[in-house]
Amino acid sequence: MALKIPVEPSKPQPADLVGRYRSDVLASLVVFLVALPLCIGIAVASGVAPEAAIITAIVGGLVTGVMPGSSLQVSGPAAGLAVLVFDAVQTHGTATLGMIVLGSGVLQILMGLARVGKWFQAMASSVVAGMLAGIGLLILLGQAYVLADRQAPGDAVHNLIGLPALLQGVSGDPAARGALLLGVCGLVVIAFWGRAPKALRVVPGPLAAVLVVAALAAIFHADVRMLSVGALLDAVHLPTAESAGALTSPAVLGTALVFALIGSAEGLFGATAVDRMHSGPKTQYNKELIAQGTGNVVSGFLGGIPLTAVVVRSAANVHAGARTKLSRVLHGVWILAFAVLAPGVLRLVPVTVLAAILVFSGWKLIDPRQVPRLWRHDRGEAAVLIVTTCAILATDLLEGVVIGLVAALFKLAWQLSRLTAARRVGPGGGVELVFGGSATFLTVPKLQTALDGVRGDVVHLDLTSLAHLDRTCHGVVDDWARQRGKEGAKVTTALPPGAREHLRGDGAH
């Protein structure tokens, strides 16, 4: 037998290193161009200053980006958390927001140390899809008003009811019509940017929309609201004794818990999707949870908003050719450099185009085609998705997800309670009863009814097609077979694969 001599891996050559880092640098520039307009739009939707979202994006790159967990996921402000942040600001104020974010980060770190990261994978896909669709609808209903430079009435229900009044008000207001027209132009640019010439597509769609709409607003001197951006250092708000004391409030702690749960779910669900996009190292869920928690601690300490891993930026990172975490770290460096050296450029951006970016993101989260597709495959899963989405609109994000989980459990119980029984003539001329589905304690009444309806001296019970047979149903079958045997019938029972076959009744063999 020939001996296999271990060969040491060759050291990377300088040319290989240059090529590797070159791809990461180029990918970081793409992510920076995608992330910057998204950050500003999310800040507007969250009801906070744009600088707060920029701080969070920088922390996502420079703090979360260097930590272990996932190599290619990019963390920063998330559109899915904008609704929660807006509610928190309205309820507790911007001064308390930083402590809420910090508290949520501590909770995430504790969850990561307790190794509960993997538990976020134990979520029905229909509930996740319903959660994303609900977030998308919340964003759409809120940002529809911002497209026309109007203030949204409030929660999702009021925003939905107020849409006819919005359209009526816009029709009689030239400034609102101009803002809406510019916002629609931004939407058209984003939606059809994928069909632009390849040379132009080097610029990401959201950034192209910002450039086009800003140019149109300048050329036509549009009377629209522009983005207001201050100095980055002025936006840093360190914790005070008063703000730290707010964490003793049960309401504030509850909000921090909601941030931690929803942010962790969105980030770790996104990790699963991103891992499917590349063949590199996969996400270590507990470490990723600690990394995101650390980022939230730092972001909250500086007065930022919550961060999580975002699929849009992460997908852009992967598709741009990133190979290591260097790309996501550098994207934070570029955002920091831009915010320090060229903040005045952002004041040329109309707010309506940022709303357009979020409306498009919300539409992608909804993915209307998934409902009919899922309905054809599994109507129960489609029903859970719809229930989750409607519950989020009617209540809030956390309660809606909980309601969706309950609906998924009811669906599971219903599936486990499905038992079919088909009667036919057996090989020996007797009666053969063939069962399908699942035989659990929930199906005992149906099982007993099917057995009691059998008449004949020769009976064969075929249970081999059952997906599950629990001890309760097994006992019911044995008791019935034993009783029929005492009455003189010959009963044979074939159990599912892996189970022991029982023969009951006089003359059984």
Side-chain angles (χ1 to χ4, degrees):
M1 180 182 295
L3 293 176
K4 293 184 178 180
I5 301 175
V7 179
E8 293 185 5
S10 58
K11 294 182 179 180
Q13 299 299 314
D16 297 334
L17 293 176
V18 171
R20 178 179 181 179
Y21 292 135
R22 178 177 178 274
S23 63
D24 283 326
V25 171
L26 293 176
S28 71
L29 291 171
V30 172
V31 177
F32 157 68
L33 295 174
V34 171
L36 187 62
L38 280 176
C39 288
I40 307 303
I42 291 167
V44 173
S46 302
V48 300
E51 307 92 87
I54 293 175
I55 289 173
T56 303
I58 294 170
V59 172
L62 301 184
V63 178
T64 305
V66 300
M67 297 186 69
S70 174
S71 297
L72 301 183
Q73 276 211 123
V74 182
S75 295
L81 297 177
V83 179
L84 295 176
V85 176
F86 182 84
D87 290 341
V89 170
Q90 298 300 311
T91 304
H92 305 293
T94 53
T96 309
L97 178 62
M99 292 308 301
I100 294 175
V101 175
L102 190 153
S104 70
V106 172
L107 291 174
Q108 286 180 304
I109 293 173
L110 293 176
M111 288 191 294
L113 294 174
R115 307 184 67 80
V116 300
K118 282 286 186 179
W119 285 98
F120 283 94
Q121 291 181 290
M123 177 75 75
S125 60
S126 54
V127 176
V128 176
M131 180 186 77
L132 295 176
I135 291 171
L137 280 173
L138 292 175
I139 292 172
L140 281 179
L141 292 174
Q143 295 306 302
Y145 293 84
V146 184
L147 276 174
D149 275 352
R150 294 296 180 91
Q151 184 71 31
D155 58 24
V157 175
H158 288 92
N159 290 347
L160 180 62
I161 295 173
L163 287 179
L166 172 66
L167 294 175
Q168 184 178 2
V170 169
S171 63
D173 185 348
R177 287 201 304 271
L180 182 61
L181 181 60
L182 287 175
V184 171
C185 286
L187 273 174
V188 171
V189 171
I190 298 172
F192 292 97
W193 193 246
R195 302 181 183 179
K198 188 175 181 179
L200 293 178
R201 277 184 278 141
V202 174
V203 178
L207 181 61
V210 169
L211 295 175
V212 170
V213 173
L216 290 175
I219 292 171
F220 294 102
H221 304 286
D223 182 18
V224 293
R225 185 160 57 104
M226 294 295 185
L227 190 62
S228 176
V229 182
L232 191 62
L233 288 179
D234 293 341
V236 175
H237 298 293
L238 301 180
T240 62
E242 182 180 356
S243 63
L247 281 177
T248 60
S249 167
V252 172
L253 285 175
T255 304
L257 177 61
V258 171
F259 277 20
L261 293 177
I262 299 298
S264 300
E266 185 171 350
L268 297 183
F269 293 156
T272 303
V274 174
D275 283 347
R276 295 172 183 168
M277 300 177 187
H278 64 88
S279 57
K282 303 305 180 183
T283 300
Q284 301 176 66
Y285 286 84
N286 294 313
K287 291 183 178 180
E288 178 67 11
L289 196 53
I290 294 174
Q292 291 185 24
T294 304
N296 276 316
V297 169
V298 177
S299 178
F301 185 81
L302 297 176
I305 62 178
L307 65 81
T308 186
V310 184
V311 174
V312 175
R313 299 186 191 107
S314 304
N317 190 37
V318 174
H319 295 153
R323 299 183 183 180
T324 70
K325 63 178 64 177
L326 177 64
S327 60
R328 63 183 191 175
V329 175
L330 284 178
H331 116 276
V333 173
W334 308 142
I335 293 177
L336 174 60
F338 184 87
V340 172
L341 300 177
V345 175
L346 296 176
R347 301 188 186 103
L348 303 175
V349 177
V351 172
T352 182
V353 71
L354 302 176
I357 293 171
L358 287 171
V359 166
F360 186 78
S361 298
W363 181 257
K364 297 290 284 184
L365 287 174
I366 295 172
D367 188 10
R369 294 174 297 179
Q370 67 180 331
V371 175
R373 186 169 60 241
L374 192 57
W375 185 266
R376 291 191 297 268
H377 176 70
D378 188 333
R379 293 187 177 183
E381 289 286 301
V384 171
L385 186 156
I386 294 171
V387 167
T388 305
T389 302
C390 293
I392 288 173
L393 294 180
T395 57
D396 58 40
L397 195 56
L398 183 61
E399 289 184 27
V401 171
V402 171
I403 292 172
L405 286 173
V406 172
L409 291 175
F410 270 110
K411 171 185 172 290
L412 178 62
W414 177 75
Q415 285 182 325
L416 292 177
S417 65
R418 294 181 64 188
L419 180 69
T420 61
R423 189 182 308 176
R424 60 193 183 194
V425 178
V431 177
E432 183 177 31
L433 195 59
V434 181
F435 289 95
S438 298
T440 69
F441 68 95
L442 296 172
T443 64
V444 167
K446 191 169 185 178
L447 174 64
Q448 191 68 60
T449 300
L451 292 173
D452 292 342
V454 175
R455 296 290 181 267
D457 295 332
V458 179
V459 180
H460 177 67
L461 303 179
D462 187 353
L463 309 178
T464 57
S465 297
L466 288 175
H468 181 69
L469 174 65
D470 68 6
R471 292 180 61 85
T472 302
C473 290
H474 196 168
V476 169
V477 171
D478 279 354
D479 291 342
W480 182 86
R482 187 181 300 108
Q483 182 60 38
R484 289 303 310 273
K486 292 179 180 178
E487 296 172 1
K490 178 182 178 182
V491 180
T492 58
T493 305
L495 296 177
R500 184 169 53 90
E501 180 169 326
H502 291 266
L503 299 177
R504 291 289 183 258
D506 291 346
H509 58 277

